[in-house]
């Protein structure tokens, strides 16, 4: 089991967005492709550490329409190379990939590996997945619009969500990428029924909402943040052991 270290810095929504802008600036030098690749590798590495191939070979990755979903697509590829049997649900895939060359290439890569990608959402059966990765919404989520505009993502979150202390309709453990989908980036889960993942994988640095996370496992993937950005935002990030891409944090 990984050694836990304290999480020492948390980003609000504005700073989380600005850190990404700075990473992709002329000074930062990163492209969105690079950041997504590093994020997806961090997600896959964290999953593999806690949900072993022997006990959790079937991984269902549910991807949203933005960068959080892109992280999930990358994670699916890495998990396949790790020996897992990933399945991807990518609602509105055709419309998304028609407008975005990066997402289109990511889906092509999955097809090359024979990874099933479904563009329609249907609630999975218990035997369909040993672990579910929530890569639906990230820190750009601004709340539900209603009137059917959020379909099918509203039903996805409803399936994964539960009242506090209760079991969701999903029987497999849920892993959330960066932010549990449907949470406020700073305040955490909405009152009542909400997504309550078993694992949270924070990226770059934990967001303010991670203080409200009460699941078993909290990991951080961010071994790419240059000293200039660490200094600009006064980040205190834990050391990564050896050649590890992720580090396990203490759940507050």
């Amino acid at each position: 089991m990984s050694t836990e270290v304290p999480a020492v810095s948390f980003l609000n929504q504005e700073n989380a967005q600005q850190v990404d802008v700075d990473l992709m600036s002329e000074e930062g030098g990163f492209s969105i492709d690079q950041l997504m690749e590093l994020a997806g590798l961090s997600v896959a590495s964290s999953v593999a550490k806690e949900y072993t191939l022997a006990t959790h070979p079937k991984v269902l990755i549910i991807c949203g329409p933005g960068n959080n979903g892109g992280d999930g697509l990358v994670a699916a590829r890495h998990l396949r190379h790790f020996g897992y049997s990933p399945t991807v649900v990518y609602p509105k895939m055709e419309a998304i990939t028609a407008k975005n060359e990066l997402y289109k290439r990511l889906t092509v890569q999955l097809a090359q590996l024979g990874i099933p990608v479904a563009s329609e959402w249907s609630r999975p059966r218990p035997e369909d997945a040993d672990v579910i990765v929530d890569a639906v919404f990230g820190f750009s989520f601004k709340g539900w619009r209603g009137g059917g505009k959020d379909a099918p993502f509203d039903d996805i979150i409803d399936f994964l969500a539960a009242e506090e202390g209760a079991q969701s309709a999903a029987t497999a453990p849920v892993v959330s990428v960066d932010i549990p989908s449907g949470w406020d980036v700073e305040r955490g889960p909405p009152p009542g029924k909400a997504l309550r993942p078993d694992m949270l994988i924070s990226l770059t640095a934990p967001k303010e909402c991670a203080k409200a996370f009460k699941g078993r496992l909290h990991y951080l993937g961010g071994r790419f943040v240059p000293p200039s950005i660490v200094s600009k935002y006064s980040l205190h990030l834990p050391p990564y052991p050896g050649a590890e891409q992720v580090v396990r944090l203490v759940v507050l």
Side-chain angles (χ1 to χ4, degrees):
M1 179 176 289
S2 302
T3 302
E4 294 179 318
V5 300
V8 289
S9 283
F10 297 86
L11 294 172
N12 61 25
Q13 185 170 32
E14 181 181 358
N15 283 346
Q17 292 172 328
Q18 191 58 47
V19 165
D20 268 9
V21 170
D22 288 350
L23 285 169
M24 292 184 285
S25 69
E26 185 175 348
E27 178 187 8
F30 283 92
S31 68
I32 184 64
D33 306 51
Q34 287 178 295
L35 294 178
M36 202 166 284
E37 188 67 27
L38 289 164
L41 177 59
S42 294
V43 170
S45 298
S46 300
V47 168
K49 282 185 173 296
E50 299 292 346
Y51 308 98
T52 67
L53 182 58
T55 59
H56 296 76
K58 293 184 289 186
V59 185
L60 174 63
I61 301 109
I62 307 175
C63 298
N67 290 345
N68 202 258
D71 297 342
L73 297 175
V74 173
R77 170 163 40 83
H78 285 292
L79 285 166
R80 178 66 183 87
H81 285 303
F82 293 171
Y84 288 82
S85 299
T87 300
V88 174
V89 175
Y90 195 16
K92 305 183 180 181
M93 176 176 64
E94 289 82 1
I96 295 168
T97 56
K99 299 176 182 177
N100 190 296
E101 180 65 23
L102 171 56
Y103 298 149
K104 181 179 180 180
R105 286 189 280 110
L106 292 176
T107 59
V108 169
Q109 292 163 12
L110 298 185
Q112 290 174 336
L113 294 173
I115 298 173
V117 181
S119 60
E120 300 293 331
W121 159 251
S122 61
R123 295 192 171 202
R125 302 166 299 175
E127 62 268 26
D128 290 338
D130 300 310
V131 59
I132 299 173
V133 175
D134 154 40
V136 180
F137 296 130
F139 56 68
S140 298
F141 179 72
K142 295 180 173 61
W144 300 107
R145 297 169 295 172
K149 296 178 181 178
D150 303 304
F153 302 108
D154 49 358
D155 187 65
I156 292 172
I157 304 309
D158 183 72
F159 171 74
L160 299 176
E163 298 284 343
E164 190 167 4
Q167 173 64 47
S168 72
T171 55
V174 175
V175 175
S176 286
V177 176
D178 206 22
I179 294 167
S181 293
W183 282 31
D184 183 277
V185 181
E186 297 176 7
R187 295 189 295 272
K193 193 173 185 181
L195 206 160
R196 305 181 192 279
D198 187 51
M199 174 191 275
L200 173 63
I201 304 169
S202 294
L203 299 172
T204 308
K207 312 310 181 284
E208 285 287 344
C209 65
K211 295 176 181 178
F213 172 67
K214 302 303 179 187
R216 288 191 311 121
L217 304 161
H218 187 189
Y219 273 76
L220 173 65
R223 200 172 193 174
F224 52 82
V225 183
S228 60
I229 290 180
V230 170
S231 176
K232 179 177 179 178
Y233 293 93
S234 301
L235 296 178
H236 299 279
L237 301 176
Y240 290 78
E244 296 286 355
Q245 295 300 306
V246 295
V247 61
R248 184 175 173 182
L249 304 179
V250 172
V251 176
L252 299 178

